[in-house]
Amino acid sequence: MNFKEIAMSFFLDDVPRVQPFTLPHLGYIAFGVIASVLFFVYLKQIRANQAKFESLLKWINTITVVVFYTWSVIFTDSFLETGLPLHVCRIASVVSLYYFWSHDERVIPMMFYLGAFGVVAIAYPSNVHPLYTHIIGYTSQFTHVLIVVTWLYIVFVKHYRPTWKDFQVTAIFWAVALLAIWGFNYVVGQGEYFYILERTRPFFKSWPDIGWIGFTYSIALVVIFIKTVTVSRIKINE
């Protein structure tokens, strides 16, 4: 490949994706783990400089979101099918961005529960561009790490504690979202959102759509239940 081809491969959409449990994937996980460890190492300093830390998260998130959606419009031929903010992690990123710019604390419960899935996305990436040789690989890495760090921030700095009402509202919202996005995937053709349709799933491709939806919804309920039980018991002064 000449320099021009190498440079264009940094932006083009038609490139091999990261495969689970390969070296790039392990690096993806390591970056998330390191960021989480550093958060706790510097927790006292973060609490003492809360406004500056929020500003850091705000601007990194803003740049990441702007880069991703600009790239999606320019370099993909399927923006409606793949580029809208309708994946869990993209929703979490946009909600976090809204919070850091508006300081509207009504969205903190949504940030908390959406953030729980950032860990899952890092552990098992799906349709992720090459992490260090593609511009969207970088935005994907930063997006998921930001989701995890933001989740830690609202729990250990903002001291948010989930309630059972938050759990119930989230459970209802998640069911409605899954069904709505299932339908939207067909409206736009073969949408990739939530990886519901057979061709976009990481596994269980032979299952009917509704079976996959029930399976993922059950996992989601377990995740948000565990998060609610464990985090609600953390004392504020810890």
Side-chain angles (χ1 to χ4, degrees):
M1 296 177 67
N2 58 38
F3 176 78
K4 182 178 180 180
E5 291 173 329
I6 293 173
M8 287 305 297
S9 69
F10 188 69
F11 296 97
L12 296 178
D13 186 38
D14 187 19
V15 294
R17 300 309 200 249
V18 172
Q19 297 302 309
F21 311 116
T22 58
L23 188 59
H25 176 211
L26 296 179
Y28 194 64
I29 295 174
F31 194 12
V33 171
I34 291 169
S36 301
V37 170
L38 289 175
F39 176 88
F40 286 109
V41 169
Y42 292 101
L43 181 56
K44 288 184 179 180
Q45 291 91 326
I46 291 171
R47 285 174 172 166
N49 299 276
Q50 185 173 330
K52 291 181 179 179
F53 189 72
E54 277 200 14
S55 182
L56 176 66
L57 294 179
K58 176 178 73 176
W59 284 108
I60 295 176
N61 201 348
T62 300
I63 293 169
T64 301
V65 168
V66 170
V67 168
F68 173 77
Y69 290 107
T70 301
W71 173 86
S72 293
V73 171
I74 296 174
F75 289 98
T76 66
D77 297 324
S78 55
F79 181 71
L80 287 178
E81 292 90 342
T82 63
L84 296 174
L86 293 177
H87 283 298
V88 176
C89 293
R90 292 183 198 168
I91 296 171
S93 181
V94 170
V95 172
S96 297
L97 193 61
Y98 169 76
Y99 169 76
F100 287 127
W101 280 99
S102 70
H103 299 287
D104 184 352
E105 296 195 353
R106 292 175 298 177
V107 301
I108 286 182
M110 183 180 293
M111 292 166 61
F112 172 82
Y113 286 112
L114 286 171
F117 295 98
V119 177
V120 176
I122 287 179
Y124 195 93
S126 184
N127 198 31
V128 175
H129 289 75
L131 298 182
Y132 310 114
T133 58
H134 196 282
I135 188 170
I136 299 307
Y138 283 100
T139 65
S140 179
Q141 178 78 87
F142 277 109
T143 294
H144 291 101
V145 169
L146 282 168
I147 290 170
V148 173
V149 171
T150 300
W151 186 88
L152 294 172
Y153 176 75
I154 64 176
V155 171
F156 293 100
V157 178
K158 299 296 291 184
H159 299 302
Y160 167 74
R161 298 295 178 265
T163 66
W164 287 110
K165 181 180 179 181
D166 294 338
F167 171 82
Q168 293 167 2
V169 170
T170 301
I172 294 170
F173 171 81
W174 194 254
V176 172
L178 275 170
L179 294 173
I181 291 177
W182 176 33
F184 185 79
N185 279 324
Y186 283 108
V187 169
V188 297
Q190 288 287 313
E192 294 184 357
Y193 305 113
F194 281 27
Y195 303 118
I196 292 175
L197 304 191
E198 173 268 333
R199 74 175 183 85
T200 63
R201 295 177 205 159
F203 37 76
F204 299 149
K205 294 180 180 291
S206 63
W207 286 15
D209 290 351
I210 197 65
W212 176 254
I213 290 172
F215 172 71
T216 53
Y217 183 65
S218 299
I219 292 176
L221 283 183
V222 170
V223 170
I224 65 175
F225 176 81
I226 292 173
K227 291 291 184 182
T228 302
V229 171
T230 55
V231 176
S232 63
R233 296 179 179 180
I234 299 176
K235 295 180 180 180
I236 295 296
N237 61 354
E238 289 185 356

